[in-house]
Amino acid sequence: MFPVVELNHVAHVYVTDREASLAVNDLQITVSEGEFVSLVGPSGCGKTTILSIIAGLIIPTLGEALIYGNKLEGPSPEVGYMLQQDYLFPWRTIMDNALLGLELTHRITPESVEMTSKLLEEMGLAGKEKFYPPQLSGGMRQRVALVRTLATEPGLLLLDEPFSALDYQTKLQLEDLIVKTLRARDKTAVLVTHDLSEAIAMSDRVILLDANPGTVRRMFEVPDNIRDALPFDARDQAGFQELFHEIWSEMDSTSV
C-alpha cells in the first residue's frame, strides 16, 4: 500500500522580477494512512509552501509530490484544505456554505446533502442550517468550514493554523472535535501550527523544520499514551512536558 503523502527530494524556488528565493529544499516526508502529522518550525521554514505542494496548488521546482502513489500535477479531490480563515460566503446560508465543495465538483445528490446535514449535526450545528455566517461565532464558523471540507470526502485533510484566530477555550474544544471526527472516519491529516503544545496534543508525529531554506531538521514520534488521548487530556499525560521541552530545545537551537 502506498503512503498517503510522499515528498521525494522536493525543492521549490519562488521567482520574482528581482530575485529567486529557495523556500524549501530536499524534503523527504511520508505520511501513512490514518496518521496525523504536524509541521512546526520558525517563520520562513516553508510550512505553508509544503501544504500548498501537497494540495497540488504548487508544482515543486525539483523532486516530486505524490498522493496515494500518484504524482501531483494539480489539485486532487483526495485532498481537503482547511485554512486560517473560514472563507464562508456571508450571503449563503450555513447549509449552502457547507455544500459549496460538492456544488463546485458537481456532486450534489440527496445522499450527499443528507451526509452534510449529518456532519453539521455532529459538529453541534443542528438547527443552524438556515442561519447566515454573521450570525455565528468564530468557532461555529470554523466548524462549518470543517464540514464543507469533509463533505467532499477527501482522504487527506490539510490544516493551516485553523485555530489561530480563536480564543483559547474554543481552540481546545475544536482540537478535540477535529481529532474525534478524523479518527471516526479514519482520515489522514497534516497540520501546520506555531503552537507546539497543539502539535504534540493532536499528532502521531511532529516534524521540526529548519528555515532559509525549509528543510527537515528532526522528526519526533509522540508516545502512545499521549496520541491515544484527546488533545485536551493529552496535555496531562506522562511524558508530554518532557517531549515539549525536547522539541522546544531543538527548535531553540536553530536560532543560535
Side-chain angles (χ1 to χ4, degrees), residues 64-110:
E64 60 179 5
L66 298 97
I67 299 294
Y68 295 101
N70 299 310
K71 186 174 180 180
L72 278 171
E73 302 289 352
S76 165
E78 293 287 352
V79 182
Y81 204 157
M82 187 172 171
L83 301 165
Q84 297 176 34
Q85 302 292 327
D86 56 66
Y87 292 110
L88 301 182
F89 291 125
W91 60 87
R92 293 179 68 117
T93 66
I94 296 311
M95 176 58 85
D96 287 343
N97 268 289
L99 291 170
L100 183 60
L102 290 166
E103 182 181 321
L104 292 174
T105 53
H106 308 290
R107 287 188 283 163
I108 295 283
T109 64

Side-chain angles (χ1 to χ4, degrees), residues 206-232:
V206 178
I207 299 176
L208 174 61
L209 301 165
D210 267 336
N212 303 316
T215 55
V216 175
R217 181 180 180 90
R218 189 174 166 191
M219 298 189 188
F220 298 84
E221 294 286 340
V222 178
D224 288 345
N225 65 306
I226 298 173
R227 66 203 292 182
D228 290 344
L230 288 173
F232 184 86

Side-chain angles (χ1 to χ4, degrees), residues 131-159:
F131 282 42
Y132 289 87
Q135 296 175 274
L136 301 187
S137 67
M140 285 185 174
R141 290 170 62 112
Q142 279 296 74
R143 294 182 190 200
V144 178
L146 178 60
V147 171
R148 180 183 59 199
T149 304
L150 291 174
T152 61
E153 299 189 272
L156 171 65
L157 190 65
L158 305 179
L159 305 162

Side-chain angles (χ1 to χ4, degrees), residues 12-230:
H12 188 68
V13 177
Y14 289 108
V15 179
T16 68
D17 292 338
R18 299 190 174 201
E19 63 178 3
S21 174
L22 181 60
V24 295
N25 188 43
D26 198 29
L27 293 175
Q28 285 278 99
I29 296 173
T30 62
V31 181
S32 300
E33 189 166 4
E35 191 177 20
F36 196 122
V37 172
S38 287
L39 304 177
V40 300
S43 296
C45 68
K47 296 186 291 291
T48 297
T49 296
I50 294 171
L51 280 199
S52 296
I53 289 171
I54 296 172
L57 301 175
I58 294 175
I59 303 301
T61 307
L62 292 174
E64 60 179 5
L66 298 97
I67 299 294
Y68 295 101
N70 299 310
K71 186 174 180 180
L72 278 171
E73 302 289 352
S76 165
E78 293 287 352
V79 182
Y81 204 157
M82 187 172 171
L83 301 165
Q84 297 176 34
Q85 302 292 327
D86 56 66
Y87 292 110
L88 301 182
F89 291 125
W91 60 87
R92 293 179 68 117
T93 66
I94 296 311
M95 176 58 85
D96 287 343
N97 268 289
L99 291 170
L100 183 60
L102 290 166
E103 182 181 321
L104 292 174
T105 53
H106 308 290
R107 287 188 283 163
I108 295 283
T109 64
E111 292 77 17
S112 66
V113 172
E114 182 180 353
M115 181 189 69
T116 303
S117 180
K118 184 178 179 182
L119 277 169
L120 287 170
E121 182 179 348
E122 289 178 12
M123 297 292 167
L125 294 165
K128 310 289 187 187
E129 294 87 349
K130 295 184 179 180
F131 282 42
Y132 289 87
Q135 296 175 274
L136 301 187
S137 67
M140 285 185 174
R141 290 170 62 112
Q142 279 296 74
R143 294 182 190 200
V144 178
L146 178 60
V147 171
R148 180 183 59 199
T149 304
L150 291 174
T152 61
E153 299 189 272
L156 171 65
L157 190 65
L158 305 179
L159 305 162
D160 191 355
E161 298 195 72
F163 318 117
S164 59
L166 304 176
D167 65 82
Y168 192 64
Q169 181 182 9
T170 302
K171 163 188 159 72
L172 292 178
Q173 291 170 343
L174 271 180
E175 285 178 6
D176 277 11
L177 182 62
I178 284 181
V179 167
K180 281 193 290 189
T181 302
L182 297 187
R183 286 178 182 174
R185 289 169 169 76
D186 198 28
K187 300 293 185 182
T188 307
V190 179
L191 168 70
V192 159
T193 179
H194 281 94
D195 186 335
L196 187 51
S197 175
E198 175 179 288
I200 298 169
M202 296 186 72
S203 304
D204 301 308
R205 187 157 48 101
V206 178
I207 299 176
L208 174 61
L209 301 165
D210 267 336
N212 303 316
T215 55
V216 175
R217 181 180 180 90
R218 189 174 166 191
M219 298 189 188
F220 298 84
E221 294 286 340
V222 178
D224 288 345
N225 65 306
I226 298 173
R227 66 203 292 182
D228 290 344
L230 288 173

